[in-house]
């Protein structure tokens, strides 16, 4: 439909222009539909809406799909007469359900209002991640708003990974995601594709969602293997976190057409840098190389050339490869396995800057002053040839004098590497002057045996070669953000906001206990943090102070709204240097190319894209953390009874997490194991304090612990204090059954969830499996009915016992 033929009613849409840009046949915007409903002040039938909004017969199917989407997201609701109403007019709140492992949950409202507590009976109607409309019914014992689910508007779980249990003929699957606290009943099928066995890890399709009186019912569609099979922890994590890990046929078909070598036709319009001695510097195990660097003296300053793989030349908007890269958002790096954002032919082939082969690149060519200030820069497409593939340790050996280049090629490159190091030293001083925050953290690496299990966990030593490349990438990223901002081209900035008011207040209260203060008033800068870090770094409690300061900061994310990067002390910053493994970098490349061509690049809703990329980044972090925790748990189960020294790495209301020295594993000392006292949790002082004894356990304190449990089923590592590690019989074992998974405590529960009191707790309450099985007898058939009828009491007792564990 031509916009010339659209009526005045439709043109009155306040977002008409936006819809025209997004769609060839623009419909009334969601905001306009809500506005019309508000103006009418009454429920409206579909036919009334069609008339009021001047929807033609041809547009009706698309309009109905839009209304259905608004229903799923809780923007609209239909009453008993099938008329559309606004949820707020019915005193309903739309949001997403967040389950808690103990069976209760919360509604996280879309409008940002306080989370609404949902008791276990309410959670029986939904699963974690579902969207729902909730009516507030009062307040719970803690004063939080409490609600009742009125309607489930969208089901988030269609397929679930879990473990099979068979008890008295009743088959059910326990989800691996502990926030899904309902077991999934699997009815018998005459022509079942799989014969489930207890202990198997499976994928189950949910064929009937839960209700108030029945549990979810599912069908097993894939058997992954046994729980302890090599690599199973990764297979589970991929499915648990919905990580795309198989490329579509369309994607692979496009990938097959990608050339193995650079074509002559691709060189048109590109600068020729093949004679420039650019090199890649990466880790020993790296396989995809997306950046190459070169540095030379330029008057009193320096010329820095950063060449980045030109992925945007091969992956273009509208391609299946682009859609797949967007869905993945980033590559995911598990121990011993990578789930790439792009197929290997691209990521390790034509887009990888392998040595001595021609490659296409987007280049940032910058002039840097003797004080480390970027004086000028330019971006351009180029063709070049990496002159060597160097490693961090190799480069550092050359620079430190521990070794000398042996080949003629490496000897010729040494002066250029030395130039890079001289520039790094200047940039490092500028970084300090700028006031960027530099937290000292220990990175670790897992070493595996032939069976794929951890043999040891060792610290990774960062040297100046790592920092050299880091500073070069920071400089290129800063230039990219400045280039796009100057040309008013929208893009995704990498933003890092400063601490919010509450966290800042808590930090200042904590620092006051040590006679310290953070300067900067109500709006401290990164420099204020950096100065305090410098002041305390020689103190014996420096690690404690640094940890608390770090946790006062927010997480970085992607957004089209530039608020600067607090930690790096940049006014604007973006990601340009890793388009092979990060989708935002690919978008930045396209935006730069558009500016160079005198055009504008618009991939769609920048804000939604930024949110999606931030979420895929978090998803990858959570998945890799799950895998690492499982591997660490497997590693520690052979060391039950051993005593270790460690540091309290987190304090929660249910106990203290301890990070072990040398072993680099964390586990929980439950509050019941801290001593014969009532311990009060102080979140501001990050401590547990005994009421009677005054005994204190504070973040950063040194403790000696004994390993008593490493449970693979729950990724839980339990310690007791070594001084109180005497076996106290059944009472102690009973207390330990309520322990927590050995998840990294820094991944502390989401900020919005009041469940943060015990974010890592296991599900505890029985699932009423026998009752639910009885409720769905007609659906699961006579065989299940007979088995469940005979075994109901036994199953109920076993389910309760299993859940308590």
């Amino acid at each position: 439909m031509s916009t010339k033929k659209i009526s005045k009613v439709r043109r009155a849409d306040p977002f008409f222009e936006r819809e025209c840009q997004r769609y060839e046949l623009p419909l009334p915007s969601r905001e306009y539909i809500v506005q019309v409903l508000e103006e009418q002040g009454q429920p409206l039938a579909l036919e009334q809406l069609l008339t009021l909004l001047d929807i033609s017969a041809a547009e009706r199917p698309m309009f109905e799909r839009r209304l259905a989407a608004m229903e799923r997201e809780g923007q609209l609701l239909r009453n008993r007469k099938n008329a559309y109403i606004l949820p707020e007019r019915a005193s309903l709140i739309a949001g997403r359900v967040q389950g808690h492992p103990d069976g209760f949950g919360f509604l996280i409202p879309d409008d940002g209002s306080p989370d609404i507590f949902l008791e276990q009976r309410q959670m029986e109607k939904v699963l974690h991640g579902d969207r729902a409309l909730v009516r507030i019914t009062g307040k719970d014992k803690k004063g939080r708003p409490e609600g009742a689910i009125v309607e489930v508007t969208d089901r988030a779980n269609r397929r679930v990974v879990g473990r099979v249990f068979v008890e008295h003929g009743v088959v059910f699957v326990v989800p691996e995601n502990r926030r899904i606290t309902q077991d999934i009943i699997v009815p018998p099928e005459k022509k079942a594709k799989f014969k489930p066995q207890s202990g198997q890890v499976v994928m189950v399709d949910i064929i009937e969602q839960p209700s108030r009186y029945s549990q979810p019912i599912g069908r097993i569609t894939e058997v992954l293997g046994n729980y302890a099979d090599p690599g199973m922890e990764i297979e589970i994590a991929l499915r648990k976190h919905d990580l795309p890990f198989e490329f579509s046929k369309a994607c692979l078909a496009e990938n097959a057409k990608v050339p193995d070598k650079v074509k002559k036709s691709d060189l048109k319009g590109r600068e020729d840098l093949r004679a420039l001695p650019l090199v890649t510097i990466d880790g020993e195990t790296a396989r995809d190389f997306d950046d190459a660097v070169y540095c030379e003296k330029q008057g009193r300053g320096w010329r820095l050339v950063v060449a980045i793989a030109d992925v945007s030349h091969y992956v273009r908007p509208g391609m299946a490869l682009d859609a797949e890269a967007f869905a993945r958002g980033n590559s995911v790096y598990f121990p011993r396995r990578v789930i790439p954002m792009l197929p290997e032919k691209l990521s390790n082939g034509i887009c990888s800057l392998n040595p001595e082969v021609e490659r296409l690149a987007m280049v940032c060519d910058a002039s840097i002053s003797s004080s480390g200030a970027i004086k000028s820069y330019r971006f351009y497409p180029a063709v070049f040839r990496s002159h060597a593939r160097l490693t961090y340790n190799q480069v550092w050996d050359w620079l430190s004098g521990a070794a000398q280049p042996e080949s003629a090629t490496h000897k010729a490159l040494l002066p250029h590497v030395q130039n890079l190091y001289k520039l790094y030293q200047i940039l490092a001083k500028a970084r300090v002057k700028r006031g960027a925050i530099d937290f000292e953290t220990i990175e670790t690496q897992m070493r595996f045996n032939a069976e794929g299990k951890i043999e040891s966990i060792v610290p990774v030593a960062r040297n100046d070669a790592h920092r050299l490349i880091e500073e070069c990438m920071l400089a290129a990223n800063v230039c990219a953000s400045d280039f796009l901002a100057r040309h008013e081209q929208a893009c995704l900035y990498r933003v890092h906001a400063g601490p919010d008011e509450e966290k800042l207040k808590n930090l200042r209260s904590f620092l006051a206990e040590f006679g310290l203060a953070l300067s900067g008033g109500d709006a401290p800068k990164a420099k204020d943090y950096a100065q305090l870090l410098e002041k305390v770094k020689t103190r014996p409690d420096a690690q404690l102070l640094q940890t608390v300061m770090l946790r006062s900061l927010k997480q970085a994310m992607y957004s089209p709204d530039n608020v600067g990067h607090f930690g790096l002390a940049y006014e604007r910053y973006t990601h340009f240097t890793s388009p092979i493994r990060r989708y935002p970098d690919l978008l930045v490349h396209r935006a730069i190319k558009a500016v160079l061509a005198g055009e504008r690049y618009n991939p769609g809703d920048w804000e939604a894209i930024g949110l999606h990329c931030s979420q895929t980044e978090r998803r990858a972090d959570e998945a890799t953390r799950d895998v690492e925790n499982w591997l660490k748990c497997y590693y520690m189960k052979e060391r039950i009874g051993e005593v270790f020294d460690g540091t309290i790495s987190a304090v929660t209301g249910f106990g203290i997490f301890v990070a072990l020295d040398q072993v680099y594993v964390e586990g929980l000392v439950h509050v019941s194991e801290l001593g014969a006292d009532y311990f009060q949790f102080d979140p501001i002082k990050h401590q547990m304090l005994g009421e009677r004894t005054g005994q204190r356990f504070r973040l950063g304190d040194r403790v000696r612990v004994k390993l008593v449990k490493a449970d693979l089923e729950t990724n839980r590592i339990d310690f007791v204090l070594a001084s109180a590690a005497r076996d106290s019989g059944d009472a102690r074992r009973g207390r330990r059954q309520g322990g927590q998974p050995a998840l990294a405590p820094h991944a502390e529960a989401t900020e919005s969830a009041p469940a943060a009191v015990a974010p890592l707790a296991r599900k505890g309450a029985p699932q009423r499996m026998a009752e639910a099985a009885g409720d769905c007898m007609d659906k699961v058939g006579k065989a299940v009915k007979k088995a469940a009828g005979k075994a109901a009491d036994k199953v109920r007792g076993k389910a309760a016992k299993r859940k308590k564990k």
Side-chain angles (χ1 to χ4, degrees), residues 206-261:
I206 298 180
I207 57 179
E208 185 166 326
Q209 296 286 344
S211 68
R212 175 69 178 83
Y213 302 104
S214 63
Q215 284 182 254
I217 298 173
R219 179 187 298 114
I220 293 173
T221 56
E222 183 182 8
V223 176
L224 302 180
N226 293 315
Y227 195 71
D229 288 349
M232 184 56 65
E233 68 280 358
I234 295 177
E235 297 298 331
I236 291 172
L238 291 173
R239 293 160 176 82
K240 175 181 172 182
H241 295 280
D242 293 322
L243 283 164
F245 61 94
E246 292 180 335
F247 290 104
S248 67
K249 290 182 179 179
C251 202
L252 293 175
E254 289 179 353
N255 182 61
K257 296 178 182 178
V258 172
D260 295 319
K261 297 180 180 180

Side-chain angles (χ1 to χ4, degrees), residues 479-489 491 493 588 591-592 595:
C479 291
S481 62
D482 186 72
F483 179 77
L484 294 172
R486 285 178 181 271
H487 290 86
E488 299 182 347
Q489 164 65 55
C491 70
Y493 291 98
V588 167
I592 291 173
V595 172

